[in-house]
Structure formats: structure tokens, C-alpha cells
Amino acid sequence: MDKKELRSYIRMQKQQFTDEALVELSLPIMKRLMAHPKVKHAQTVLFYYSLKDEVHTHTTIQQLADEGKKVLLPAIIDGENIELRYYESPKDVERGFFNIMEPVGKAIQEEEYGKIDVAIIPGMGFDSRNNRLGRGKGYYDRLLVKMQEVYKIGVCFDFQKMPGIPADAHDIKMDEII
């Protein structure tokens, strides 16, 4: 399958689950993530504020912030690019581009990307070679190319694991998939 066909297939798989079931399926994923040494020892974590069809992250984001970690979330700034902003509490999040919940906190500069210890990245699908299939807009690929040294963990449900995902030269691989 090509990328477009894979996205359609995975969307159909997601539709088999209720929102509540996806939240429930997220719990062991987030538990594994919180026990991961890279996350446990991180001072600054790049995360994502989940959409209803993604691995649910809201509780985990708050837990990391409550532990005193610096949490960064992406915000779409001009329809094309992402900037990273600090998160401290749920009041720091409001609807942004594409009606997606985004942080309203202070943005960091690209020069500060090297201070990020670990990045938790969503995807439509992942394969055993750590390739990531995004939603097709390239936001994360354009962001992650600027932070090659940051340890990248892709998170997904089991049904999002594919035998193979077509990868282009600009696609950024994950270091690990949970």
C-alpha cells in the first residue's frame, strides 16, 4: 500500500473503537512510557496533546508537569510550521489551527531544541524499522529535522503497527516505538 492507502486503512481500524476504548487502550502505553528511562530521567520532554483518535496523552502530560519536568507541546503557527510552547496546566491549552488543542504558553527558540531530552511523537502508523507515517502534512518531519540529536519515541496502538511503511528521504525515523 502507498501512504494514502495506509492512512485510510488505519483510519478504518480506529473507527472500530469508541473514544472510551481508545483511552483505555492508551493506559498501558502511557504506563510503559512513564517507566522508560529516557522519560524518567528527562528534564525537558516534547509531547503532543492527543486528538481523540490518538494514544491519549492528557493525563500523562499533566503528570510530567506535576513532577517538575518542562513539557513542550507543538502549536501550528502559520498553517505550515510548528513552534514548541511550554505547558504547565490544562488552562495553557486552547483551540488552534484545524480546531486542534494547542498550548498558549511561551514559545522556545530553535536554538533551545538541543535542551529537549526526549520527544514523544504520534503517528498514523509505524513499522519495525521505526519508520513513521504521519497525517500527510509533514509538520513533524519539518520539526524533527531540526532536532536530529533528540531521542524520538513514537507511540501508537497495536493496530497501527504496519509490516512496512514507504519512507521518503525527508521522513524522520523514530529511535523507538511504544
Side-chain angles (χ1 to χ4, degrees), residues 5-177:
E5 291 168 328
L6 280 171
R7 286 185 190 99
S8 291
Y9 172 78
I10 293 167
R11 275 190 203 95
M12 288 187 338
Q13 296 301 307
K14 288 180 177 185
Q15 291 172 356
Q16 296 179 34
F17 298 92
T18 64
D19 295 348
E20 294 79 18
L22 290 177
V23 169
E24 195 69 28
L25 288 172
S26 300
L27 295 174
I29 298 167
M30 289 294 102
K31 185 176 180 180
R32 278 185 61 201
L33 187 67
M34 289 299 288
H36 194 289
K38 293 279 187 188
V39 175
K40 286 178 82 159
H41 297 101
Q43 292 182 352
T44 304
V45 179
L46 167 59
F47 227 111
Y48 68 96
Y49 205 79
S50 56
L51 300 172
K52 68 179 186 173
D53 69 342
E54 294 176 323
V55 174
H56 184 77
T57 61
H58 305 183
T59 304
T60 304
I61 289 169
Q62 188 58 52
Q63 184 180 349
L64 290 169
D66 291 346
E67 289 177 5
K69 296 185 187 295
K70 293 177 185 166
V71 178
L72 297 166
L73 299 176
I76 300 170
I77 55 171
D78 56 11
E80 294 293 320
N81 296 293
I82 290 177
E83 75 178 7
L84 304 179
R85 298 179 185 164
Y86 286 103
Y87 169 93
E88 291 179 16
S89 74
K91 70 179 179 0
D92 295 337
V93 181
E94 63 184 35
R95 294 206 184 279
F97 259 87
F98 306 115
N99 213 23
I100 295 171
M101 298 301 285
E102 297 178 343
V104 295
K106 179 184 165 214
I108 69 167
Q109 303 301 310
E110 279 187 40
E111 302 82 53
E112 298 175 86
Y113 287 2
K115 295 179 182 177
I116 299 170
D117 298 302
V118 64
I120 313 306
I121 309 297
M124 288 294 290
F126 297 91
D127 70 16
S128 62
R129 295 181 313 265
N130 294 342
N131 289 311
R132 174 184 171 273
L133 176 69
R135 291 186 181 261
K137 302 277 189 199
Y139 290 112
Y140 276 101
D141 289 318
R142 287 191 298 279
L143 173 68
L144 294 174
V145 76
K146 300 173 189 175
M147 52 178 66
Q148 295 284 339
E149 301 304 313
V150 173
Y151 194 83
K152 296 167 279 303
I153 301 174
V155 292
C156 67
F157 299 110
D158 283 341
F159 62 83
Q160 291 176 275
K161 294 177 187 171
M162 301 287 111
I165 291 175
D168 298 317
H170 66 272
D171 291 332
I172 305 295
K173 286 183 179 248
M174 300 293 101
D175 293 300
E176 182 176 352
I177 311 299

